Amino acid sequence: MDIRFDLFENELATRFAKRFAGAALVIQDSPLPKATQELVSLRASQINGCGHCIDMHVKEAAAAGESAVRLHLVAAWRESTVFTEAEQAALALTEEGTRLADASHGVSDETWALVRKHYDDDQTAALVSLVALINAANRLGVITRRKGGSYEAGMFATALKS
């Protein structure tokens, strides 16, 4: 299957993408740990089946020094010993915030309490915003059938400069 619509070749979509990228920069520059940002983005992308975003976040995380073991275990983080309690809280929030239609409770009070235990206000704001943003990015990728495999680490940062 080919890409349905190239958002980077449409003027309106390009204007939107620049603003979307600006929001992503706010989160990237936040005090939320970079490793957590990539793990959260990867997990939401796995749930949503966005090959392009999975490709991007695996490669960005690996380029930043994330271990292959941790990247491989993100999908099974509950059955793994390689994630900190704070990362587990972020991954739980990611799953519950991504699967809103699958659960009547949305984000549980238990998960929220764990997030607040491990993250200050700015980190929590960044984490909640990141979950929302990556879900939007996943939808853009899946709807337009943007495929994974060709992303190279650093491409996103390079595109933002142009």
Side-chain angles (χ1 to χ4, degrees), residues 16-133:
F16 173 80
K18 286 181 181 180
R19 285 158 181 82
F20 195 84
L25 283 175
V26 171
I27 296 166
Q28 286 178 8
D29 293 341
S30 77
L32 185 65
K34 301 298 182 237
T36 302
Q37 292 181 35
E38 293 300 339
L39 295 173
V40 163
S41 295
L42 176 56
R43 185 63 191 127
S45 300
Q46 290 170 335
I47 293 166
N48 290 321
C50 184
H52 174 74
C53 293
I54 292 169
D55 187 32
M56 177 192 310
H57 294 293
V58 164
K59 290 174 180 174
E60 290 292 348
E66 189 60 72
S67 75
V69 170
R70 283 171 41 97
L71 292 174
H72 288 295
L73 288 173
V74 168
W77 64 270
R78 283 184 179 84
E79 291 79 30
S80 305
T81 60
V82 297
F83 301 104
T84 67
E85 286 183 14
E87 290 168 339
Q88 290 174 29
L91 290 166
L93 179 73
T94 301
E95 289 189 358
E96 292 178 22
T98 297
R99 294 184 163 136
L100 294 175
D102 298 341
S104 61
H105 62 75
V107 174
S108 69
D109 290 339
E110 294 79 14
T111 294
W112 187 253
L114 287 172
V115 166
R116 295 307 288 157
K117 175 182 174 185
H118 294 286
Y119 297 102
D120 66 23
D121 287 351
D122 286 346
Q123 292 170 319
T124 299
L127 181 58
V128 170
S129 299
L130 177 58
V131 171
L133 194 68

